[in-house]
Amino acid sequence: MTAALSDAGLICQDHGVIDIDAALASLSLSDKCRLVAGRTTWETCAFPEAGIPAIKMSDGPTGIRGEGHGGGGTPGVAVPAGITLGATWDPALLREIGSLLGLEARRKSAHVLLGPNVNLHRTPVGGRTFECYSEDPELTAALATEYVRGVQSHDVAVTVKHFVCNDTEIERMTVNVQVDDRTLRELYLRPFEATVRDAGAWGVMSAYNQLNGEFCAHHRGLLTDILRTEWGFDGFVVSDWFGVHDATPAANAGLNIEMPAPVRVYGDKLVASVERGEVTEAQVDSLVRDILVLAQRVRADERSAHDPEESVDDPAERALTRRAAVSGTVLLRNESIDGTPVLPFDAATLTSVAVIGPNATIDRSMGGGSASLVPFGHRTLLDAITDRIGPGTSTNAAITFEAGVRIDRLTPVAPRRQLVQPNGEPGLHIEYINGRDWTGDTVVEQTAPSSMVRFFGSTPAGIDPRGFATRITGSFVPDTDGPLVIGVVSTGPFIIDIDGTTIIDDTQMELPRSEEFFGYGSVEATATVVCTAGVPLELNLRWATSEKNGFAALRVGFRSPEPADLMDRAVAAAAAADIAIIMVGTNDEWETEGFDRTTMDLPGRQNELVRRIVAANPRTAVIVNAGSPVTMDWADAADDRSARAVLTSFFAGQEQAESLVDVLLGDADPGGRLPTTIPVRLADHPAYLHHRPDHDSAGNGTQVYGEGLFIGYRGYDARDIAPRFAFGHGLSYGSASWGDAVITSESADSITVEVPVAGIGSRAATVVVQGYIAAIDAPCIRPPKELKTWDKFVVEPGASETAQLKFPRSVFRRWDTATSDWVVDAGEYELVIAASATDIRQRLRVTIK
Ligand code: BGC
């Protein structure tokens, strides 16, 4: 398939039976001001007499989380993270994924999916880089457009987020992003423009940050002038959660819904703004009208927000998510030993396999924060490889496992299997009490599946979300003897007893706040107890919401001492096996909403581990299981301390483990290409000198996008800095030879280039022919090249295919600051035909009139 900019108009569909005019006319001003604020964490208010149903929203974007109260949630499909989907370079696949998620939303009785996230990879260390597709605006736009079409084909709305420039988590609720108009238009707004204009997105979520001095949720230039007037958006804008601050500017800007409840900004305060004459009632009517249009589009009158949430684990959907994970797996390096590439491994010849690494026995298939959800199960790489080639299979290989290192950021959360409720069932028992006094009467009881408890969701019936307490009881069963460190992070006051003795008491909330839980959590407080393997420790925890907080959660972790020979054991296991597979990376605590990473380095001693493992066994495949670029200084030179085979599928969702084994054993070809540059070191990335905010005397932070247009490969190109792995790079197991690219048609509207590609060698090859443009004599600065189109396909051995690249006239446009409009400069351009941003195969000169 070919992807390129398209000018298709808005999707118009005939929907629903809500009589919008009649409904609007029957509401009082106070009702209308209430309707524009959420009723719960996820729902809007219903006005049954006016025929207005509640609308339920759900995160997003990698699955549908549902209500998810108390750390639980209805298990659901977990598709690959945005960056993995970005690596597929396959808009048609994104359409299928979007459609699956639309269906999932219906199963979770949600009318609105809070995604896709189309912010850009401005730096390699953004806390939410894993959620976003790419550093490139056109790749992001093409993929997101199809995702939106897929979701909305089920009468489920999207909220394309976060509008705009929420590209860092540093001071995310307040930071003022200073960006020039041209950069904003050509890069950061582009995916929003495409999803609105080409796919007819029904919803947009405003970003937390300020844009050039104005909160995005209050920004009329953004929410009305650009979005509605210029792009013709006819949907609704929802605030990011707690991201709206003042009724008058928000309403006048065109912010339709304040989320979540309890209402803080709209409601009575909006009534007062109208009474003071700061907001007209007509403006409130127009905000309400958009919500009624939404209700109609998603047929909220036909399916209730309160229908029970369903879990459907469908084999065909598993197959789709597995195909997507394979398609987003990037083979970065694959050197030969004795003339044969290390990968794929030949299962028939294997007698022993060493599986190494902290991420090989824990499922790390998604990042942290609102994009995470409860999957159907947790398959690990060790499970998948053992089931495919381990004892009892036709390969019957001996499989050994060694973690080698630890990478925990905080004390590790206890899994369900190590927790026992007082009634003997797995998990922890939670009693909810209304009010902040935890000695009060129990109103509701629940089970927490792990010792991470997030109270962010609809409060159980009978519990007041504005202030409640819990008593959490059960026991933790250690699997080691000796000292055990117990750590607690909490958003509110708490006290924890172990075996009847208080070990940490923060009832006065004296612990300083930290980056945890989006900045609402305390630093981790720890205490040490002595335990015996298998002997339960009785746990009694009392916790309450804080008076100030919007977000409520706590986590309890348990850490036994690290064995001194952990790494040596892994090296010995690798040396003794035919092959080694080492899975290094991060996890949902290193990569999450709430903060950016401060380094690109793998946590813990993982670099040292990789070097020692590849030295011990050259037939090692290194899997990088991280949601964004990491330093891989062991992946360059062909010496015996460098890894010969390296692949990544980032955070690949529920089928991560199976898809990795598909690729390792050659049952599938790694189909991915990097959607983002992997630099040699952090300091090389173009935004490096501008990646933290500066502060004025009042402490207000400003984040200047000083690198301007030179995001990602545009910046490496311009400064002639070689990346470790270039944007667009990715190897296939097959080989293909590219013939001469030829312009096959050229008109005032469009140019088509064709590239013949022949399959050579013994395996089918996945090919992605990339088409960039380079302006030769532009009247102003332009990036050395800009991706505009590509064609991805598989070519069989001995067969040939023709890549088709279309360059419509619109791809040559740039934003002209003088006229505040798009222009296409007449002049000379090159069409750059490439296999990656640094693997350029041909340049074709064209003249644009
Ligand atoms: C995130 C949004 C998310 C919302 C609801 C916010 O913290 O920024 O992306 O949709 O929470 O969970």
Side-chain angles (χ1 to χ4, degrees), residues 15 33 58 82 106 141 162 175 249 326 419 499 519 593 595 600 643 698 806 821:
H15 275 141
C33 292
S58 190
R106 296 184 73 106
H162 309 84
V175 72
V326 166
L419 298 171
D499 286 342
E593 240 176 284
F595 56 89
M600 235 173 63
K806 284 205 188 317
D821 205 353

Side-chain angles (χ1 to χ4, degrees), residues 42 59-60 65 114 117 128 131 161-162 166 172 205 208 240-241 370 456 518 593:
W42 307 118
D59 281 309
R65 194 144 57 104
L114 301 173
N117 187 342
R128 301 182 84 168
E131 266 187 60
K161 68 188 188 183
H162 309 84
N166 180 184
R172 68 169 182 165
M205 182 189 288
Y208 283 132
D240 199 347
W241 270 226
S370 57
F456 186 49
F518 314 142
E593 240 176 284

Side-chain angles (χ1 to χ4, degrees), residues 444-639:
V444 179
E445 296 175 71
Q446 273 186 344
T447 298
S450 79
S451 60
M452 164 75 87
V453 190
R454 296 188 185 92
F455 300 99
F456 186 49
S458 307
T459 319
I463 294 297
D464 183 348
R466 287 165 301 183
F468 63 95
T470 61
R471 287 187 289 266
I472 301 177
T473 49
S475 41
F476 171 77
V477 186
D479 27 49
T480 52
D481 291 335
L484 181 77
V485 178
I486 301 183
V488 181
V489 177
S490 171
T491 59
F494 72 93
I495 182 163
I496 176 169
D497 300 346
I498 295 290
D499 286 342
T501 304
T502 297
I503 57 160
I504 308 168
D505 180 346
D506 192 36
T507 40
Q508 300 308 316
M509 279 191 73
E510 284 157 345
L511 289 171
R513 297 300 96 186
S514 70
E515 288 176 325
E516 306 310 319
F517 297 130
F518 314 142
Y520 293 112
S522 63
V523 295
E524 182 174 51
T526 57
T528 303
V529 299
V530 176
C531 65
T532 306
V535 178
L537 297 170
E538 194 186 311
L539 200 142
N540 183 347
L541 215 158
R542 281 87 74 208
W543 173 94
T545 53
S546 111
E547 290 190 16
K548 297 176 229 134
N549 278 350
F551 188 84
L554 91 159
R555 82 190 283 294
V556 187
F558 304 84
R559 181 167 53 223
S560 54
E562 181 169 328
D565 62 349
L566 198 59
M567 192 177 291
D568 292 344
R569 284 192 332 230
V571 175
D578 292 345
I579 59 158
I581 301 169
I582 172 169
M583 190 158 178
V584 289
T586 61
N587 58 37
D588 56 357
E589 294 199 332
W590 291 103
E591 294 192 65
T592 179
E593 240 176 284
F595 56 89
D596 285 3
R597 288 183 299 153
T598 53
T599 164
M600 235 173 63
D601 292 346
L602 286 165
R605 292 165 62 202
Q606 295 187 93
N607 283 335
E608 184 188 344
L609 179 68
V610 174
R611 286 192 177 284
R612 289 191 59 193
I613 297 295
V614 299
N617 191 333
R619 290 181 203 279
T620 293
V622 183
I623 300 168
V624 180
N625 176 208
S628 50
V630 296
T631 318
M632 297 182 219
D633 52 9
W634 33 259
D636 296 331
D639 61 45

Side-chain angles (χ1 to χ4, degrees), residues 69-129:
H69 195 74
T74 312
V77 175
V79 306
I83 190 166
T84 311
L85 295 176
T88 69
W89 290 58
D90 190 343
L93 180 60
L94 269 277
R95 174 75 161 248
E96 292 182 75
I97 291 288
S99 173
L100 168 57
L101 294 176
L103 190 61
E104 265 290 285
R106 296 184 73 106
R107 292 172 182 156
K108 304 283 182 297
S109 56
H111 305 102
V112 177
L113 188 169
L114 301 173
N117 187 342
V118 300
N119 295 131
L120 299 183
H121 298 167
R122 180 172 172 259
T123 79
V125 288
R128 301 182 84 168
T129 293

